[in-house]
Amino acid sequence: MEGTYNWMLVFASYCVAVIASYTAIYFGTRVFSLSGRSRRFWLAAGALSLGSGIWSMHFVGMSAYTMPVHMHMSFNASLTLLSWIPAVFASALALYVITLPTVSVKTISASAFIMGAGIFAMHYGGMYAMQMHPGIEYDTLLVILSGVIAVVASGAALVICRNVRDVPPQYALAIKVAAALVMGAAICGMHYTGMAAANYPMDAQSNPDNLLRGDWMGIPTAVAASILLLLALYSAYTDFRAIERARQAEKERNESARQAAFYDSLTGLANRSLLEARVLEKLTVTDTNKVPPAFMLAYFELADYREILQEQGDVYAQALINYFIAELREKTPTAEVIARYSANSFMLLIPSCDSSILQKLVQKMTDAFKSPAAISGKQTLCKWGFGFSEYPKSGTNSRNLIRAAQRIRFVSVDESKQPELQLV
């Protein structure tokens, strides 16, 4: 004989399944980035939360069912608790698999089968906890169908959880909620297919030893399960927020250390260490059959920087440096690196050996400083020297190339005495 359903409790069971599914997705996407003891702890917490959610959904769904001909629904307490174990183990397997770095189709398929079997065992274990005489009879075809739904739903859940973490951040919440709605529907589909497979003999009576009454397990179980799952989500969220803050602080410390190691603190330009590292990178090729591409180093030195520093002070000298850097950046947009090599010198890494680039660069810098530059309300005539080197013509290692570039070949003086730059 078949009974009827309380649709409010049916909807409540679906809500519990959705919350449990969202918990699984959340833990699956967040635990992936953890390791060690923290990872094991949150995997266990996630398995308990998801398993308890599936288990609770089952008994909320059972409470939605009204037994035929006024039969009373009751459960054996020990068997009811025992039916919780397969759900937790199935959830643990699911979370473990979806947090692995890589998985094959074979692994997903095997895990879906084992997880589906766990949910199947949980459902029919919970049904067995309804100790009745004579016992419940089942439609074999529908039982098999419920098992197939459990396996397919488990496989879909595994695939969804593994892929949902790759969703762009702006769509992550919406996709997770949609995935939870689909997973919740799949879990409920398995449960109610299993319920449809059950047939209760007309003269069946509940075992008097059953301590749990089905008519009070619905709403209280749904509320308790939802609170438990939401608390688990909140605890995980706060913990992960703390982890993210610690990681961000570590990232900022590393970035500060990198800035200090490879960038000039006053100008923000690359420093000598970073320039030398980049030159070495240009000279290094992984394929022994290839030759590193040609490039040039251009060197500028402010000849009268120390005198200006003594006469005008730090503020003016730094303003002059900034003005000179701005001109270099404007005149050489193709430079890979512009580095402050020392207090009064700069070096540019240019990915070409076209001598006309240097000719134009020197001419542009000369034009920029033909007349005294107005800086900080003052005027001064900035004198500078220029040198360059070419790879491989000037050298084949970084030290020789840098030394060759530092050999001054052109010095700016007043406009009437400007010599021509000889690129030889």
Side-chain angles (χ1 to χ4, degrees):
M1 296 181 63
E2 296 182 355
T4 59
Y5 286 97
N6 180 324
W7 292 104
M8 183 180 73
L9 287 176
V10 170
F11 180 72
S13 70
Y14 174 65
C15 292
V16 173
V18 170
I19 296 174
S21 299
Y22 186 85
T23 304
I25 293 170
Y26 182 86
F27 275 90
T29 53
R30 299 296 305 203
V31 174
F32 183 80
S33 60
L34 300 179
S35 61
R37 184 175 299 176
S38 179
R39 175 186 173 88
R40 290 191 294 272
F41 173 80
W42 286 111
L43 277 174
L48 288 172
S49 299
L50 177 58
S52 299
I54 295 173
W55 181 82
S56 300
M57 175 269 146
H58 170 84
F59 287 100
V60 174
M62 291 299 297
S63 297
Y65 185 73
T66 302
M67 300 285 286
V69 293
H70 305 293
M71 293 181 186
H72 294 290
M73 181 183 294
S74 61
F75 299 91
N76 179 286
S78 298
L79 292 175
T80 297
L81 180 61
L82 190 64
S83 68
W84 170 77
I85 296 176
V88 173
F89 275 100
S91 302
L93 173 68
L95 287 174
Y96 175 75
V97 170
I98 65 178
T99 56
L100 291 174
T102 57
V103 291
S104 63
V105 174
K106 183 178 179 180
T107 302
I108 288 285
S109 301
S111 301
F113 180 81
I114 296 172
M115 182 182 173
I119 296 174
F120 183 88
M122 181 268 127
H123 173 80
Y124 288 100
M127 295 290 287
Y128 182 71
M130 294 176 61
Q131 292 290 288
M132 304 179 70
H133 300 287
I136 302 173
E137 299 173 353
Y138 291 97
D139 183 318
T140 303
L141 183 61
L142 288 177
V143 170
I144 294 173
L145 179 60
S146 68
V148 171
I149 293 174
V151 172
V152 173
S154 298
L158 292 174
V159 173
I160 289 171
C161 289
R162 278 198 63 83
N163 291 291
V164 75
R165 64 172 177 263
D166 298 325
V167 172
Q170 63 268 32
Y171 306 119
L173 179 60
I175 296 298
K176 288 177 183 178
V177 170
L181 292 172
V182 173
M183 287 174 61
I187 293 170
C188 286
M190 180 272 157
H191 170 82
Y192 289 108
T193 302
M195 289 294 292
N199 185 39
Y200 304 92
M202 183 176 297
D203 56 344
Q205 297 292 326
S206 298
N207 191 321
D209 293 335
N210 292 350
L211 298 179
L212 301 177
R213 290 177 57 85
D215 56 2
W216 62 264
M217 290 183 66
I219 295 298
T221 303
V223 172
S226 298
I227 291 174
L228 171 66
L229 292 169
L230 291 173
L231 285 175
L233 279 174
Y234 177 76
S235 299
Y237 175 74
T238 54
D239 182 72
F240 289 131
R241 281 290 299 273
I243 292 172
E244 287 299 319
R245 285 194 294 269
R247 284 181 176 173
Q248 186 62 31
E250 179 67 19
K251 182 179 178 181
E252 290 174 357
R253 286 194 295 270
N254 292 339
E255 182 61 25
S256 297
R258 182 176 179 274
Q259 286 287 335
F262 295 109
Y263 292 88
D264 178 61
S265 59
L266 295 177
T267 63
L269 292 178
N271 63 13
R272 178 185 301 193
S273 298
L274 182 55
L275 174 79
E276 292 174 351
R278 289 291 179 85
V279 173
L280 282 174
E281 287 178 11
K282 298 286 285 186
L283 296 172
T284 303
V285 291
T286 55
D287 190 340
T288 56
N289 296 322
K290 290 186 177 180
V291 177
F295 62 91
M296 295 185 295
L297 293 177
Y299 178 76
F300 288 88
E301 184 178 291
L302 299 183
D304 52 357
Y305 176 77
R306 289 180 176 80
E307 290 80 358
I308 292 173
L309 179 63
Q310 292 176 354
E311 295 174 4
Q312 306 289 352
D314 291 340
V315 175
Y316 181 81
Q318 185 58 43
L320 175 62
I321 290 290
N322 293 337
Y323 183 81
F324 198 86
I325 291 170
E327 292 295 329
L328 282 178
R329 282 176 168 160
E330 181 183 346
K331 303 313 190 270
T332 54
T334 60
E336 284 189 11
V337 179
I338 299 178
R340 189 176 188 181
Y341 200 75
S342 67
N344 66 323
S345 65
F346 305 89
M347 195 168 290
L348 289 70
L349 174 59
I350 301 172
S352 170
C353 273
D354 184 356
S355 60
S356 65
I357 294 177
L358 295 180
Q359 290 278 12
K360 292 176 181 178
L361 172 59
V362 172
Q363 186 60 54
K364 288 178 180 179
M365 293 299 290
T366 301
D367 293 341
F369 290 96
K370 276 183 179 179
S371 58
I375 303 169
S376 299
K378 302 178 183 179
Q379 288 190 337
T380 187
L381 185 64
C382 175
K383 297 180 181 179
W384 48 271
F386 171 80
F388 70 95
S389 64
E390 301 172 275
Y391 173 81
K393 184 178 179 180
S394 304
T396 56
N397 62 63
S398 60
R399 178 176 294 183
N400 289 342
L401 288 167
I402 290 172
R403 284 181 177 176
Q406 290 176 306
R407 183 165 62 88
I408 300 299
R409 306 188 184 199
F410 174 87
V411 178
S412 70
V413 289
D414 62 76
E415 184 180 359
S416 61
K417 299 180 181 179
Q418 287 287 6
E420 292 185 0
L421 173 62
Q422 299 297 322
L423 297 180
V424 293

